[in-house]
Amino acid sequence: MTQPIYVLNGPNLNLLGTREPEIYGADTLDDIKARMEAASPSRPIEFRQTNSEGELVDWVQEASSATDILILNAGAYTHTSVALHDALRSCDARIIEVHISNPAAREAFRHTNYVSPCAAATIAGFGPQGYLMALEAALQMKD
Ligand code: CA2
């Protein structure tokens, strides 16, 4: 059975395209979803966004048994959430971390990262294109 590729987005990413375009670009999350679907004809994309930490943890747990590829932009929970870190540690899917901006080049509070230690790879600073790069790379990665 063909497994979907999970693409999970954390808090405030529903605001993409509405403000701060100098940091996050002009694309909306729906634009990114449509481009990922177009770029993945052979596998469905399970694309979601939540502002809730608990819901994001629930979805990571779900992804563990539903997919082999989890593309994750955890937003600000990247820098704060031990609960998310623990869920990711227990997740059997290959985790590709994405950030639109480059948190390492921003404020010091964005330099703490609870996701990266659990990720196979991180793509940051390429704007919304980073999601497509993560998809392409994940599909090419061998076990
Ligand atoms: O660069 C990224 O993708 C981030 O994950 C975005 C998070 C930020 O907390 C991380 O440090 C880096 C913020 C997402 C909020 O997105 C907005 C988009 C438009 C307007 C306001 C917020």
Side-chain angles (χ1 to χ4, degrees):
M1 197 190 69
T2 305
Q3 289 184 321
I5 294 169
Y6 271 56
V7 183
L8 300 182
N9 295 279
N12 296 306
L13 286 159
N14 55 308
L15 298 176
L16 272 186
T18 66
R19 54 191 78 204
E20 301 197 71
E22 67 285 359
I23 300 176
Y24 298 116
D27 292 329
T28 67
L29 213 51
D30 278 347
D31 294 333
I32 294 170
K33 175 175 184 268
R35 274 195 265 135
M36 293 187 88
E37 286 170 344
S40 183
S42 59
R43 292 190 58 176
I45 303 290
E46 185 65 38
F47 193 100
R48 303 180 192 171
Q49 186 274 333
T50 181
N51 291 327
S52 156
E53 183 177 9
E55 189 163 43
L56 193 57
V57 167
D58 286 343
W59 290 350
V60 169
Q61 291 184 8
E62 176 188 315
S64 181
S65 55
T67 188
D68 57 338
I69 299 175
L70 168 57
I71 295 172
L72 173 65
N73 184 349
Y77 292 141
T78 303
H79 315 300
T80 63
S81 180
V82 176
L84 179 61
H85 173 88
D86 287 343
L88 292 169
R89 280 170 65 108
S90 298
C91 181
D92 288 331
R94 174 175 284 140
I95 298 158
I96 312 291
E97 178 186 13
V98 171
H99 295 287
I100 297 166
S101 65
N102 180 6
R106 299 181 63 190
E107 303 96 323
F109 64 81
R110 296 185 204 275
H111 300 175
T112 299
N113 189 321
Y114 290 97
V115 171
S116 284
C118 309
T122 299
I123 294 173
F126 288 101
Q129 186 67 16
Y131 285 83
L132 276 301
M133 296 165 78
L135 177 62
E136 190 179 337
L139 290 171
Q140 286 176 14
M141 283 172 96
K142 300 272 182 271
D143 284 330

